[in-house]
């Protein structure tokens, strides 16, 4: 009865009510195995306990041809006797007279005491029975008589469904037994096994779709076959094979079906949990219309269900059992047939690849050739699927087979394009140890260079590509690929001089070069120009690359110029133009592996949301960007997305989370882009400065400051970066580095006078460096995003405070406070509040909200923030530092928190805070 407590109580209440003279009607419906029989058993037991007489029966398929059979059996009446009593003048009135005789029989039974009539499986009942049940409950309502009627649903619509609707409209209680929830499923399995189910067992149990009977059979079958290991009170699978009990349930179901329906289900089980009728028809060499009788039979017996778009197996366990009942060669042949169909009509690459991989047999040259063809076809648009196919084909190729060299090249290319770089490097290096033709060796070395470059080993990549290009008589195709690989390596090394020289040489002879080489050269040159602060040149080159890329196949776009141009427009806060460029990008742009150095659309949306102060949206988009590469390992984590997450955490005051995000980018060699990596370094330093002060942050930024004149990328990623570099250097007592940051920002502005973003950035940095209020006022008015304006206003307020202009300082700090609050920047809000308090001004720190008197919901925003910082292990003084309040204030808040939560220790507070952190973000009100 797991998960059926409410339904069981309804049944018990019905029995108790009839014992007390109050009758009623209870309707129970649900698919087979959902617990109807258990509830009827509970009703029978309760009736016996309460002294209620029971009349119970169940309809079956034959009942459809026997009038009133379920009622007659329940009341133990003879059909022949009733017929004799009711006969014989008007045969047409026989059903009515039989029902009248049954009513008299029921009245006699109920006169002796309360009665419960229980009728199961009424979907099989004859029309006369259903007609009688429509009238008898109403006619006998004054008596101590209750009814429990059940039917199987969902199923084919019939008169039983109409009866239930009519009875419910007349006041009957209706229960629909739905699938068990996750907790009930886990509890049921625990009851059956005497141990909690482990993750693997829960995954298998999901195939039962919450059906209690299927779950019970699954647990019993796994025990019967010793397919479980129970250790420390947890049950885990030792075999993924379907238990014999489930196989028996499936066999019993299939034997009730016609031959053609069984054939349809066996074939469909190979296709997957859901399938299109057209696919099934093509596999069977029939028309969809010819399969309709089979489909209806499968739906009627509830093996299949119809969704909006497809047919689906109602239970994954049944589908798996049907599939496993087929001999392995048969399954492989069916997988191969369906894979061919998907491949021929351009079906989903991942699905086609999965079926083709399931069809392959070692040494089967025909099937391996099929994998070769599919891998080549999927590589441009679905490198992940191509990599799976090519790697499997290579794995199954016997040593010495002449196809092994070509398959090595294909697998290396596919693995690189899919972002499985460690595998690609290992494969190519292993393959290069084997003697092979020069062309094959060159292609492998070219792929090795690309894989090394993308995995952060740009120096090795450059050497490999350079040696390759130095070889005489290199085939033109390989030469082009090696040129792109060298451009990638030089860009990865931030070797702007050599990258520019190579790109300019390519563009000088662009008519002779392959399209993708020209696009790569334009993108590389745009990158170096941007890094040098030549923004107009970079934008023009990027736009040129976009024009060349239009209409090109996916595999050509190594540098993804659309995303690079959109990224630069985001840098300049020209969001409308950035979105327009993103809309013109090819649909496949985000399905490609991590090729090149540009961002994904999700990362750009994250950056735009961050600039607009929509921190929740920024987090969601950044997580989506990371989700695309999470399975590929830390070497391909998107540094821009991580920087966004860290910045959000920093603004919200969660320094541990900020440090955690940037901890994923500590290995500089793993950055996909050395340029974005410098921005990541700045964000890491900002986190370190917040935790440990300016001097450690300055040490971390030594390389950034040293190369700032040559590499200006970090100043352009964030309009407040130049000001922060200047402010941090001054706080650490390093006037020279502060002057450097401000000077480079000025140089960028002078070279790009048409860009308001760079003008505001330079004014902000120069105003801090020279303590110039007019420049800070210019920045506070001109910064394009709200947080940067708040930062400039705060700096101006701080400067006016030092100069004794209290009124002006308060006005500026109030403006900063409003803008910080509008961007959800709780940590910055707290800091400005402290500055205002020092000026004798107290503003409302946390917005008033309706809250309960006790519990987590009763905590104020400040108290929740304190709770979460304490849960991170911070001392009172550390919390005070992060929140810009005194240690005494932290202690006061802790006393209030302990009182409201009715606890007395930090350990208890940590437990509660961690629980709530899983459901809601840090409160920023």
């Amino acid at each position: 009865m797991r998960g059926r407590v409410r339904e069981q109580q309804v049944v018990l209440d019905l029995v108790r009510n009839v014992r007390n003279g109050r009758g009623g009607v209870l309707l129970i419906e649900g698919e087979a195995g959902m617990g109807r029989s258990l509830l009827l058993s509970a009703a029978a037991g309760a009736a016996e306990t309460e002294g209620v007489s029971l009349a119970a029966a169940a309809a079956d398929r034959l009942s459809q041809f026997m009038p009133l059979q379920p009622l007659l059996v329940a009341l133990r009446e003879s059909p022949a006797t009733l017929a004799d009593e009711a006969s014989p003048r008007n045969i047409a009135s026989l059903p009515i007279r039989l029902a009248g005789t049954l009513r008299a029989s029921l009245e006699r039974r109920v006169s002796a005491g309360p009665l419960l009539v229980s009728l199961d499986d009424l979907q099989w009942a004859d029309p006369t029975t259903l007609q009688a049940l429509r009238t008898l409950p109403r006619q006998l309502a004054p008596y101590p008589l209750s009814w429990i009627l059940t039917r199987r649903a969902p199923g084919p619509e019939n008169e039983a469904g109409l009866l239930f609707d009519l009875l419910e409209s007349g006041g009957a209680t209706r229960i629909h037994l739905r699938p068990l929830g996750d907790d009930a499923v886990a509890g049921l399995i625990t009851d059956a096994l005497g141990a909690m189910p482990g993750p693997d067992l829960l995954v298998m149990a999901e195939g039962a779709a919450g059906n209690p009977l299927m779950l019970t059979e699954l647990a019993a079958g796994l025990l019967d076959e010793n397919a479980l290991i129970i250790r420390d009170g947890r049950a885990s699978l030792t075999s993924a094979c379907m238990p014999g009990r489930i196989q028996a349930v499936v066999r019993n179901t299939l034997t009730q079906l016609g031959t053609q329906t069984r054939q349809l289900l066996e074939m469909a089980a190979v296709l997957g949990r859901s399938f299109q009728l057209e696919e099934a028809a093509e596999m069977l060499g029939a028309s969809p219309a010819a399969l309709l009788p089979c489909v209806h039979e499968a739906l009627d017996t509830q093996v299949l269900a119809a969704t909006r778009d497809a047919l689906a197996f109602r239970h994954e366990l049944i589908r798996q059992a049907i599939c496993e009942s087929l001999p392995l060669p048969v399954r492989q042949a069916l997988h191969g047939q369906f894979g061919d169909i998907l491949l021929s009509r351009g079906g989903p690459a991942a699905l086609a690849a999965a079926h083709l991989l399931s069809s392959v047999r070692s040494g089967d040259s025909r099937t391996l050739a099929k994998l070769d063809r599919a891998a080549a076809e999927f590589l441009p648009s679905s490198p992940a699927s191509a990599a799976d196919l090519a790697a499997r084909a290579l794995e199954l190729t016997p040593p010495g087979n002449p196809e092994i060299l070509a398959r090595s090249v294909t697998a290396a290319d596919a693995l690189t394009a899919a972002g499985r770089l460690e595998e690609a490097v290992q494969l190519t290096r292993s393959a290069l140890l084997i003697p092979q033709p020069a062309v094959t060796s060159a292609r492998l070395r070219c792929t090795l260079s690309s894989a090394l470059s993308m995995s952060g080993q740009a120096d090795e990549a450059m050497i490999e590509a350079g040696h390759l290009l130095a070889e005489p008589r290199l085939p033109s195709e390989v030469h082009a690929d090696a040129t792109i690989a060298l451009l990638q390596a030089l860009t990865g090394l931030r070797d702007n001089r050599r990258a520019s020289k190579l790109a300019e040489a390519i563009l000088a002879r662009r008519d002779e070069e392959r399209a993708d080489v020209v696009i790569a050269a334009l993108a590389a040159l745009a990158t170096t120009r941007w890094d040098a602060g030549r923004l107009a040149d970079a934008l023009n080159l990027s736009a040129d690359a976009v024009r060349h890329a239009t209409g090109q196949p996916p595999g050509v776009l190594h540098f993804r110029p659309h995303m690079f141009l959109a990224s630069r427009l985001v840098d300049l806060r020209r969001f409308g133009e950035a979105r327009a460029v993103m809309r013109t990008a090819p649909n496949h742009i985000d399905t490609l592996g991590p090729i090149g150095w540009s961002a994904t659309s999700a990362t750009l949306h994250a950056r735009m949301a961050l600039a607009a102060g929509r921190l929740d949206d920024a987090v969601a988009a950044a997580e989506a960007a990371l989700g695309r590469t999470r399975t590929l390992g830390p070497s391909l984590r998107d540094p821009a997305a991580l920087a966004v997450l860290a910045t959000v955490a920093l603004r919200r005051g969660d320094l541990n989370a900020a440090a955690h995000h940037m901890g994923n980018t500590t290995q500089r060699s793993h950055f996909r882009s050395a340029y974005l990596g410098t921005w990541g370094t700045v964000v890491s330093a900002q986190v370190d400065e917040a935790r440990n002060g300016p001097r450690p942050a300055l040490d971390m930024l030594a390389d950034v400051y040293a190369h700032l004149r040559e590499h200006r990328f970090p100043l352009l990623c964030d309009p407040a970066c130049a000001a922060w570099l200047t402010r941090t250097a001054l706080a650490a007592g390093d006037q020279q580095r502060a002057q450097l940051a401000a000077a480079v920002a000025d140089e960028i502005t002078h070279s790009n006078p048409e860009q308001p973003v760079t003008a505001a950035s330079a004014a902000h940095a120069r105003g801090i460096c020279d303590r110039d209020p007019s420049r800070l006022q210019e920045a506070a008015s001109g910064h394009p995003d709200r947080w940067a304006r708040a930062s400039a206003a705060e700096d101006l307020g701080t400067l006016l405070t030092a100069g004794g202009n209290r009124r002006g300082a308060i006005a500026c700090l109030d403006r900063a406070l409003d803008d910080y609050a509008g961007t959800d920047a709780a940590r910055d809000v707290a800091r400005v509040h402290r500055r205002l308090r020092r000026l004798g001004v107290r503003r409302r720190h946390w917005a008033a909200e309706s809250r309960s008197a006790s519990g987590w919901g009763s905590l104020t925003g400040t108290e929740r923030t304190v709770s979460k910082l304490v849960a991170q292990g911070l001392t009172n003084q550390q919390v005070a530092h992060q929140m810009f309040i005194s240690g005494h204030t932290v202690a006061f808040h802790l006393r209030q928190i302990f009182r409201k939560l009715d606890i007395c220790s930090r350990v208890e507070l940590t437990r509660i805070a961690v629980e709530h952190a899983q459901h809601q973000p840090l409160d920023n009100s």
Side-chain angles (χ1 to χ4, degrees):
M1 300 302 292
R2 279 281 185 175
R4 299 287 184 242
V5 174
R6 184 184 66 83
E7 292 86 351
Q8 186 180 24
Q9 188 60 50
V10 173
V11 169
L12 296 179
D13 289 345
L14 181 79
V15 175
R16 293 186 183 118
N17 287 340
V18 75
R19 179 201 62 187
N20 295 325
R22 299 192 305 275
V25 180
L26 175 61
L27 311 172
I28 303 176
E29 56 190 359
E31 68 175 80
M34 278 295 181
R36 288 178 294 124
S37 298
L38 282 175
L39 288 175
L40 292 178
S41 296
E48 182 178 2
T49 301
E50 299 290 342
V52 174
S53 179
L54 177 67
D60 55 32
R61 289 177 182 271
L62 294 178
S63 301
Q64 300 171 84
F65 311 106
M66 304 173 68
L68 296 172
Q69 176 72 7
L71 280 166
L72 294 173
V73 172
L75 296 172
R76 299 178 184 175
E77 295 283 0
S78 166
T81 303
L82 285 177
D84 289 342
E85 292 177 1
S87 69
R89 290 191 303 274
N90 186 355
I91 197 70
S93 65
L94 180 60
I96 298 174
R97 285 180 284 134
L98 286 175
T101 306
L102 274 175
R103 175 181 173 181
S105 177
L106 282 166
E107 288 174 337
R108 288 193 300 271
R109 288 283 300 271
V110 81
S111 65
L115 175 65
L116 173 65
V117 179
S118 168
L119 300 177
D120 194 10
D121 280 332
L122 288 179
Q123 73 275 3
W124 303 122
D126 65 286
T128 306
T129 298
L130 298 176
Q131 183 179 354
L133 291 173
R134 174 70 183 97
T135 59
L136 287 173
R138 185 177 68 252
Q139 293 170 347
L140 299 171
Y143 294 91
L145 170 62
S146 284
W147 304 77
I148 299 181
L149 310 179
T150 84
R151 75 176 186 117
R152 183 179 297 180
E157 289 301 321
N158 58 18
E159 289 80 0
L162 177 59
L163 170 67
F164 274 44
D165 291 341
L166 292 171
L167 291 174
E168 182 182 22
S169 66
T173 300
R174 190 169 186 169
I175 293 175
H176 184 81
L177 298 178
R178 303 191 181 281
L180 299 181
D182 292 343
D183 291 343
V185 168
L188 189 151
I189 296 176
T190 301
D191 294 341
L193 302 180
M196 289 284 292
D200 53 351
L201 180 51
L202 287 175
V203 169
M204 178 178 279
E206 287 177 2
N211 185 289
L213 176 62
M214 295 292 293
L215 289 164
T216 303
E217 292 297 307
L218 174 65
L222 292 171
L223 282 175
D224 290 346
E225 298 174 18
N226 296 316
L228 294 169
I229 182 170
I230 297 178
R231 182 180 295 117
D232 298 329
R234 188 171 293 274
S236 302
L237 292 174
T238 58
S239 170
C241 293
M242 200 57 55
R245 279 178 176 260
I246 300 294
Q247 297 280 5
V249 171
V250 171
R251 283 195 300 272
N252 181 59
T253 301
L254 295 184
T255 54
Q256 302 176 37
L257 304 176
T259 302
Q260 289 183 318
T261 304
R262 289 200 302 272
Q263 184 183 13
L264 169 65
L265 292 174
E266 288 172 342
M267 181 276 303
V270 175
L271 302 190
R273 176 71 182 270
S274 64
F275 61 94
Q276 304 290 331
L277 184 58
E278 302 94 312
E279 297 171 345
E282 189 171 359
M283 288 284 289
L284 293 170
S287 67
L291 296 180
L292 284 180
C294 304
V295 171
H296 286 313
E297 186 176 20
L299 292 172
D300 288 349
T301 54
Q302 300 183 21
V303 177
L304 294 182
T307 68
R308 181 176 179 179
D309 302 316
L311 296 172
F313 283 88
R314 191 172 292 278
H315 299 108
E316 175 64 10
L317 288 181
I318 289 181
R319 186 200 71 81
Q320 291 181 24
I322 294 174
C323 193
E324 290 183 15
S325 69
L326 297 172
L328 179 59
V330 175
R331 290 205 305 270
Q332 290 175 323
L334 291 174
H335 279 300
Q337 181 186 354
F338 191 48
D340 286 340
I341 290 173
L342 292 173
L343 192 60
S344 65
R345 72 180 189 203
L351 183 60
H355 283 285
L356 291 173
L357 288 170
S358 297
S359 73
V360 70
R361 295 181 288 274
S362 181
D364 183 350
S365 59
R366 185 181 64 85
T367 307
L368 290 176
K370 188 189 303 182
L371 296 189
D372 292 339
R373 180 170 67 90
E377 190 165 323
F378 292 152
L379 181 58
S381 59
S382 182
S385 298
D388 290 337
L389 292 165
R392 183 62 173 158
L394 179 61
E395 179 186 340
L396 295 175
T397 303
N401 187 297
E403 298 293 335
I404 199 166
L405 294 178
R407 285 181 182 142
S408 295
V409 172
T410 301
D413 287 342
L415 289 168
T416 301
R420 293 161 58 177
L421 302 178
E422 292 182 8
E423 294 175 69
V425 170
Q426 184 177 358
L427 170 61
T428 50
R429 283 179 167 159
S430 298
L432 286 168
L433 297 175
I434 304 172
Q436 51 197 289
V439 174
T440 304
S441 175
R443 286 197 60 189
L444 284 169
R445 290 169 61 193
C446 187
T447 300
L448 176 60
S449 177
S450 291
L452 288 169
S453 183
M454 282 188 238
S455 62
Q457 303 172 68
D459 47 356
E460 295 182 48
M462 181 191 66
I463 294 171
E464 195 69 51
H467 287 167
L468 187 56
L469 288 169
E471 292 188 3
R473 296 184 298 278
L474 196 64
S476 60
E477 290 297 310
V478 178
H479 189 281
D481 288 339
T483 301
I484 293 173
L486 183 56
L487 279 170
Q488 288 177 320
L490 292 172
T491 310
L493 289 169
R494 290 198 299 166
D495 191 338
N496 289 352
R497 184 184 62 80
R498 294 178 61 187
S500 297
K501 184 177 179 181
L502 176 58
E504 288 167 349
I506 292 168
L507 296 176
R509 56 175 190 274
R510 67 171 67 193
D511 292 341
E512 305 170 17
E513 295 288 355
R514 211 170 63 188
D516 54 344
V517 178
V518 173
I519 294 168
L522 287 167
L525 194 57
T527 303
T528 62
R529 293 291 189 267
W530 189 267
D531 195 36
R534 296 167 57 180
L535 309 189
D537 288 350
L539 293 175
N540 290 333
L541 287 163
S542 299
D544 197 8
V546 167
R547 285 191 292 272
H548 277 74
T550 301
Q552 294 293 338
V556 167
L557 305 182
H558 293 274
F559 279 77
R560 294 193 287 188
H562 294 79
M563 292 297 106
F564 181 84
L565 176 56
S567 298
R568 305 295 67 84
L569 291 169
V570 169
D571 290 343
L572 297 174
R573 299 309 190 252
R574 290 157 59 174
F575 295 148
E577 294 173 68
R579 293 189 183 96
V581 172
M582 292 162 65
R583 284 194 293 269
T584 66
N587 292 332
H588 57 254
I589 201 73
D590 268 351
T591 66
L592 295 173
I595 303 172
W597 314 113
S598 53
T600 66
S601 58
T603 305
L604 294 181
H605 284 299
R607 292 185 60 203
M608 287 188 281
L610 177 65
R614 303 192 315 272
L615 300 194
D616 288 336
D617 292 345
V619 169
E623 288 289 358
L626 291 173
R628 294 182 61 251
T629 57
R630 189 163 279 130
T631 59
L632 300 176
S635 63
L636 293 174
R637 301 296 295 278
D638 189 333
L642 290 167
V644 167
L645 290 175
T647 301
V648 169
L650 187 60
R651 291 184 186 178
R652 285 177 163 169
D654 191 345
L655 302 191
N656 281 4
H660 170 74
H661 292 309
M662 297 319 296
N664 288 317
T665 63
T666 52
Q667 298 184 35
R668 288 286 306 282
S669 63
H670 282 171
F671 283 158
R672 281 195 293 144
S673 166
Y675 300 98
L676 284 177
T678 59
W679 181 35
T681 301
V682 170
V683 175
S684 293
Q686 288 173 343
V687 175
D688 202 27
E689 187 268 340
R691 302 180 84 183
N692 304 309
R695 174 48 61 184
L698 213 63
D699 293 340
M700 184 183 294
L701 293 168
D703 189 60
V704 172
Y705 282 109
H707 299 96
L708 199 55
R709 290 195 180 278
E710 181 183 1
H711 298 297
R712 303 179 174 193
F713 208 100
L715 297 186
L716 297 168
C717 287
D718 176 5
C721 181
W724 184 84
L725 290 174
T726 303
R727 187 189 310 111
T728 304
L730 287 175
D734 194 327
Q735 183 71 32
Q736 184 177 357
R737 284 178 173 169
Q739 286 286 354
L740 172 66
V744 174
D746 283 336
E747 291 170 10
I748 293 174
T749 300
H750 293 152
S751 301
N752 304 276
E754 74 286 357
Q755 299 295 344
V757 173
T758 59
S761 177
H764 195 172
R766 180 54 63 189
I768 294 172
C769 188
D770 295 348
R771 301 178 62 79
D772 185 340
S774 64
R775 299 305 306 274
L776 289 175
Q777 180 59 53
E778 179 185 346
S781 303
H783 263 308
D785 60 66
R786 197 171 182 183
W787 189 93
R789 288 199 302 274
S791 177
E794 181 186 2
D795 286 325
L796 178 56
T798 303
L799 181 61
L800 294 177
T801 299
N805 185 349
R806 182 176 180 274
R807 177 178 297 179
I810 291 172
C812 289
L813 292 175
D814 277 340
R815 194 191 335 166
L817 188 64
D818 288 342
D819 281 334
Y820 280 142
T823 59
D824 218 11
R827 182 172 181 272
D828 303 299
V829 165
R831 185 180 59 250
V832 174
H833 271 292
R834 183 180 65 179
R835 295 189 189 281
L836 285 168
R837 285 196 302 272
R838 289 174 177 173
L839 291 170
V841 177
R842 291 190 174 273
R843 303 285 187 231
R844 294 186 62 143
H845 197 161
W846 308 102
E849 56 179 311
S850 176
R851 57 177 67 92
S852 55
S854 62
W856 185 264
S858 69
L859 301 185
T860 65
T862 305
E863 289 164 353
R864 292 181 196 175
T865 303
V866 169
S867 299
K868 292 177 181 181
L869 292 174
V870 168
Q872 294 173 8
L874 274 63
T875 65
N876 283 12
Q877 197 55 47
Q878 289 170 324
V879 172
H881 176 72
Q882 299 304 329
M883 295 184 66
F884 304 100
I885 56 180
S886 71
H888 294 296
T889 303
V890 172
F892 169 78
H893 285 311
L894 275 176
R895 288 193 296 273
Q896 295 293 97
I897 292 165
F898 285 2
R899 178 182 60 80
K900 291 180 179 180
L901 299 182
D902 193 24
I903 58 176
C904 57
S905 74
R906 286 175 176 255
V907 173
E908 293 174 282
L909 175 58
T910 298
R911 175 184 58 78
I912 294 171
V914 168
E915 289 175 357
H916 284 274
Q918 298 171 355
H919 304 291
Q920 59 188 49
L922 188 66
D923 190 280
N924 301 301
S925 56

